[in-house]
Amino acid sequence: MLKLNAVSKVYRTDEVETTALHDINLEIADGEFTAIMGPSGCGKSTLLNILGTLDRPTSGEFWIGGQDVARHSERQLARVRRKHIGFIFQSFNLLEELSVRENVELSLLYRGVSSGERRRKVAAVLERMGIAHRADHRPSQLSGGQQQRVAVARALVCAPNVVLADEPTGNLDSHHGDEVMGLLKALNAEGATIVMVTHSADHAANARRIVNLFDGRIVAEHQQAA
């Protein structure tokens, strides 16, 4: 379970202090699918970065699986990310100089997985994503939907407990966006916890809960019918 208790995030420069998040209290249960919505600049990506341990709160507590990680060192946070979290980004973040197979394999290299196990895991996840036939292609040789499938495969190859998706359909047309949402729903049905930032009310409707942010505060939450 992910739990934020009175979390605030303040960015400071010599002349300006900006509060990105203010006193956030949020619990996300294991196996939940939560969508985070709100206007640009309301703190959605900051919240997702804190949930993914890519950023740390200025104040408050952040619990992952019963452990408060808000004051962990960078090394400790890196271990938490490797163990628990997969990321899907709007911009795909694929390396053009690497093939599809190599892009997905990177996640396993960082975890010290043996070469034989890497090959097995990468082959399995590419087959699952329907892009095994593109394993030796470069990202520029793929459609936007295929690139996002590679990004999803990279997030899933390490079997994370939590998948954090930041506008995963933002660079896709409606058809490919719906395909990615179908993948996320299938992952959630298999037990993965999904937290997705989105501007799309249609895509947010796939989640079981919607959390609305405004000016760094949670202003509404509601559960949706199964």
Side-chain angles (χ1 to χ4, degrees):
M1 182 175 68
L2 306 176
K3 181 179 180 180
L4 301 175
N5 183 27
V7 162
S8 294
K9 179 63 181 180
V10 179
Y11 295 101
R12 296 183 176 92
T13 66
D14 291 340
E15 299 179 354
V16 178
E17 180 175 290
T18 302
T19 300
L21 296 175
H22 183 80
D23 200 29
I24 298 291
N25 294 293
L26 178 66
E27 292 188 21
I28 298 172
D30 291 341
E32 189 172 352
F33 189 165
T34 298
I36 300 172
M37 300 192 71
S40 297
C42 72
K44 301 187 301 297
S45 290
T46 299
L47 176 56
L48 202 70
N49 285 340
I50 288 176
L51 291 172
T53 72
L54 297 174
D55 202 352
R56 61 178 73 234
T58 303
S59 60
E61 300 175 343
F62 174 33
W63 297 77
I64 297 180
Q67 184 179 25
D68 184 4
V69 302
R71 302 294 173 262
H72 272 21
S73 68
E74 289 300 326
R75 179 173 294 183
Q76 290 173 312
L77 290 176
R79 285 200 294 267
V80 169
R81 284 193 294 274
R82 287 196 298 268
K83 183 177 181 181
H84 295 287
I85 300 170
F87 297 92
I88 304 171
F89 301 99
Q90 176 181 352
S91 57
F92 312 144
N93 290 351
L94 303 177
L95 299 178
E96 178 57 32
E97 63 270 21
L98 300 181
S99 68
V100 165
R101 179 186 292 107
E102 291 164 339
N103 267 282
V104 174
E105 188 179 16
L106 273 181
S107 294
L108 299 170
L109 279 170
Y110 293 147
R111 289 162 173 79
V113 177
S114 68
S115 60
E117 186 71 359
R118 291 199 307 271
R119 286 193 297 272
R120 186 188 68 78
K121 287 180 178 291
V122 170
V125 76
L126 291 181
E127 185 68 32
R128 179 181 183 184
M129 291 296 105
I131 50 173
H133 63 297
R134 297 286 194 175
D136 294 320
H137 287 70
R138 303 293 185 190
S140 62
Q141 297 173 298
L142 308 180
S143 69
Q146 289 170 333
Q147 289 186 57
Q148 190 60 295
R149 284 176 175 268
V150 177
V152 173
R154 183 183 55 196
L156 298 186
V157 72
C158 297
N161 308 112
V162 179
V163 175
L164 302 179
D166 192 359
E167 295 283 1
T169 63
N171 285 333
L172 303 176
D173 60 31
S174 60
H175 172 71
H176 289 115
D178 289 344
E179 282 188 348
V180 170
M181 289 310 308
L183 291 172
L184 292 179
K185 287 183 68 176
L187 292 173
N188 180 243
E190 294 169 7
T193 303
I194 310 289
V195 183
M196 175 182 69
V197 162
T198 182
H199 280 101
S200 169
D202 287 342
H203 290 159
N206 290 280
R208 296 294 298 276
R209 177 168 58 143
I210 298 177
V211 176
N212 292 99
L213 290 185
F214 187 77
D215 286 348
R217 301 172 185 265
I218 293 177
V219 294
E221 294 185 51
H222 66 273
Q223 299 282 342
Q224 306 200 105

